[in-house]
Amino acid sequence: MTKEEYKNKRKEMINRAEQLMNENKCTEASSLINEIESLDAAYSEEQAQRERRLKNKYSGMTFKDKAEYEALKSQLVNEGRYDEIDLLDEAFHIYATNRTNEQALNGTFGKNTNLPIYGEGDRVNMNGSKPVNNRKEGGKMNIFLNKGEKLVNRINVTEESQVLNQDGALGEVVRGMVTGKWSSNEFKNAVTTTATGVLIPEVLSSKIIDKARELSLFTNAGVPIIPMESNNVHISRVKTDPTFKFKKEGEAATESSFELEDVNLQSKTAYGYAYVTLEAIKSSQNLDAILKTVFAEAMAQAIDDGMLYGQYNSSTTSYETFAPSGIMNDANINSIAATAGAGYDDIIKAIGKVRGGNGIPTVLGINSNTEEIFSLLKTLDGQYLAAPKAVSEMQTIVSNQLKHDDSAGDDALVFDPNAMIIGIQNNIQIKIIEDSECLKKGLVGFQIYAMLDCKAIQPKHICKITGIKEDSN
């Protein structure tokens, strides 16, 4: 018996029992209630047997590579077999963990395979190195979300939440929130109302996060993301690199230490504001696209603000502990004070600093004013100056979250994306607000809450540049 058949039969029997009670046919109603209980027991036993069969099916399953696992998972989704996805995930994680233990024994640990590499207990390795502690309920592991990967593809879409996976779902949910008119009860039942707003379902939250990743300086640069399952995730960063030397045969080798230190990602509440016209909410055919963009822009700004500078409290002359500490405030990263009118010189010096720490600088972050300064550089004969090879080979990302000051100059950042990590909890709260801006212009205001943190795990692979400006002479 399928779930749908069971639900329909049970509903039919309950309706009949209620009818009998209304007709004062208590004996017949009582007999029917006993039949309902027998139906429930039979269905529960049938489901328990099915669960045992499925567990036996997936127990000990092996995989050729990660692609095979992903193909099997896609097949389950396409066939609507959502209850098997968790079992497949668990089988894959167990197999990947066992593979890692084998690699550790035979000396191939950390070498390239098409499976995620797991270390002892709950340690996950990024790019085959740098163990990261990322414990998940039930012993499952999260894999780093790298550039090009979609968070939404990792969400298990249940039968009940399938409606949220269709095009336009975010627009339907928000339109219902604002107007109180829901296109279906499925959308209405999918959202959770809290004391501070409405919790957007995981399927929709992940799509907003994916869009924000395209807009943020750091996630666009390819800084790895950990989808956080709890408020605290511990990762490790290298404190002392090992050293290796040649030795004579038979002589004792020089002892070399490899020291790691703990870095704690603690999710902190970041919020931004977004405004949409009331007309768009009520009637726009592309409301879903509009909302994804404005919500993602607000979230991307929150990521960049926190990742770059944290939050300064002028009254206490210190940075707030409830906000990320900010990469630019990290005393361990490299730093260069720019020389006015130096052109690309300071960028090349920053590249040298990162390479000197054995980093691979692939990203240059600048604001629009610095972009203009560099774009206007000319040779003595008036020709526009091309960027040096070391600069042009990097990915340049323009973000106005990097500070501009007419007097002090601009900030810039040269870095290796793998030198940082971002943790994001996959739940977004949206609160409808009414302020003077809304009343004047006929807008609907939204406050978007997200939980995130960001840290440098290899600070010497990052270099900030401060005070970039044109020569005043």
Side-chain angles (χ1 to χ4, degrees):
M1 182 185 300
T2 67
K3 183 179 180 180
E4 195 64 31
E5 289 171 342
Y6 161 70
K7 288 167 65 177
N8 289 338
K9 186 172 183 179
R10 192 176 193 278
K11 184 178 180 181
E12 181 183 326
M13 294 172 74
I14 288 174
N15 290 339
R16 177 59 182 154
E18 289 177 351
Q19 182 181 347
L20 291 170
M21 291 292 288
N22 292 333
E23 295 172 357
N24 291 321
K25 297 178 180 179
C26 298
T27 303
E28 294 178 47
S30 178
S31 176
L32 192 54
I33 289 171
N34 290 334
E35 289 182 35
I36 294 172
E37 291 176 351
S38 298
L39 175 70
D40 291 342
Y43 181 73
S44 296
E45 177 58 29
E46 186 178 312
Q47 291 303 302
Q49 291 178 7
R50 181 176 184 274
E51 186 175 343
R52 286 193 291 270
R53 288 197 302 270
L54 288 175
K55 283 186 176 180
N56 289 334
K57 173 184 175 182
Y58 287 101
S59 177
M61 179 177 279
T62 60
F63 302 85
K64 183 173 67 175
D65 53 23
K66 186 180 177 184
E68 181 183 13
Y69 153 72
E70 291 174 341
L72 288 170
K73 190 169 183 177
S74 295
Q75 182 181 344
L76 293 178
V77 172
N78 293 334
E79 295 176 0
R81 292 153 60 190
Y82 304 109
D83 56 344
E84 296 183 44
I85 292 176
D86 282 343
L87 294 171
L88 176 67
D89 288 343
E90 184 175 1
F92 180 65
H93 285 295
I94 290 172
Y95 180 64
T97 303
N98 291 338
R99 276 292 302 274
T100 300
N101 292 337
E102 291 172 12
Q103 290 173 343
L105 289 172
N106 64 28
T108 60
F109 179 77
K111 292 187 177 181
N112 184 35
T113 70
N114 289 320
L115 291 170
I117 301 174
Y118 296 101
E120 183 178 327
D122 60 356
R123 304 191 72 78
V124 180
N125 285 282
M126 178 173 65
N127 298 332
S129 61
K130 310 288 186 304
V132 176
N133 189 329
N134 186 17
R135 185 178 296 278
K136 181 177 178 180
E137 191 76 23
K140 295 180 183 178
M141 312 293 178
N142 277 329
I143 304 170
F144 281 96
L145 193 67
N146 294 305
K147 187 175 181 181
E149 295 179 78
K150 294 291 186 182
L151 179 58
V152 68
N153 292 338
R154 297 177 51 181
I155 304 301
N156 287 337
V157 182
T158 63
E159 187 175 354
E160 289 76 14
S161 63
Q162 184 67 35
V163 66
L164 299 173
N165 211 28
Q166 65 188 41
D167 292 340
L170 178 62
E172 292 298 332
V173 168
V174 172
R175 183 177 283 127
M177 287 166 50
V178 173
T179 65
K181 298 177 181 179
W182 296 86
S183 59
S184 74
N185 285 331
E186 290 175 301
F187 285 121
K188 184 178 180 179
N189 296 333
V191 299
T192 303
T193 303
T194 70
T196 56
V198 175
L199 188 65
I200 295 296
E202 191 178 33
V203 175
L204 299 182
S205 290
S206 61
K207 292 181 179 181
I208 296 171
I209 292 171
D210 283 337
K211 182 67 175 177
R213 290 168 60 213
E214 297 173 6
L215 303 173
S216 163
L217 162 65
F218 292 101
T219 50
N220 188 24
V223 173
I225 289 177
I226 295 179
M228 298 172 68
E229 297 293 331
S230 64
N231 290 338
N232 291 281
V233 172
H234 292 270
I235 62 176
S236 298
R237 69 180 175 189
V238 178
K239 184 177 181 181
T240 305
D241 285 320
T243 56
F244 299 91
K245 294 181 179 179
F246 292 99
K247 73 175 189 69
K248 290 183 179 180
E249 184 178 353
E251 289 189 358
T254 304
E255 184 177 341
S256 175
S257 63
F258 175 63
E259 190 176 358
L260 298 173
E261 62 181 349
D262 188 59
V263 176
N264 188 18
L265 285 172
Q266 293 180 305
S267 60
K268 299 170 175 67
T269 304
Y271 63 88
Y273 294 94
Y275 294 91
V276 182
T277 65
L278 190 57
E279 291 80 6
I281 294 288
K282 288 183 175 180
S283 59
S284 177
Q285 297 299 310
N286 64 333
L287 178 61
D288 192 84
I290 293 171
L291 292 171
K292 279 178 190 170
T293 299
V294 295
F295 290 169
E297 285 175 348
M299 188 173 176
Q301 182 174 340
I303 292 173
D304 287 352
D305 280 346
M307 190 85 171
L308 283 166
Y309 298 106
Q311 190 164 319
Y312 187 73
N313 187 326
S314 56
S315 61
T316 61
T317 64
S318 62
Y319 288 90
E320 302 285 14
T321 57
F322 58 75
S325 54
I327 295 296
M328 301 292 274
N329 304 321
D330 190 331
N332 295 311
I333 70 170
N334 298 300
S335 179
I336 289 177
T339 303
Y344 292 107
D345 290 2
D346 296 312
I347 306 297
I348 294 173
K349 290 177 184 177
I351 293 171
K353 289 267 190 182
V354 174
R355 286 181 176 164
N358 295 321
I360 304 174
T362 58
V363 180
L364 167 63
I366 57 176
N367 62 32
S368 58
N369 188 70
T370 301
E371 181 188 36
E372 181 180 316
I373 291 173
F374 289 157
S375 297
L376 291 174
L377 291 175
K378 294 180 181 178
T379 61
L380 292 176
D381 60 355
Q383 301 296 312
Y384 285 106
L385 191 64
K389 183 180 179 182
V391 178
S392 63
E393 287 180 343
M394 289 194 298
Q395 178 188 6
T396 299
I397 300 176
V398 179
S399 171
N400 286 328
Q401 302 309 315
L402 284 158
K403 287 181 179 177
H404 163 71
D405 186 286
D406 288 334
S407 175
D410 299 340
D411 289 350
L413 202 61
V414 171
F415 61 96
D416 177 348
N418 290 320
M420 311 173 192
I421 201 77
I422 299 174
I424 296 180
Q425 282 191 262
N426 188 32
N427 53 5
I428 298 175
Q429 275 198 344
I430 294 178
K431 183 179 180 181
I432 300 173
I433 58 173
E434 290 184 4
D435 56 18
S436 58
E437 193 77 6
C438 295
L439 295 173
K440 288 177 185 177
K441 300 181 179 179
L443 303 174
V444 178
F446 298 92
Q447 192 175 47
I448 298 98
Y449 296 80
M451 303 293 289
L452 55 92
D453 196 11
C454 34
K455 293 282 173 64
I457 54 175
Q458 292 175 296
K460 293 307 177 185
H461 295 184
I462 306 166
C463 186
K464 68 177 180 181
I465 308 167
T466 56
I468 299 174
K469 55 184 175 180
E470 295 176 284
D471 193 341
S472 57
N473 297 327

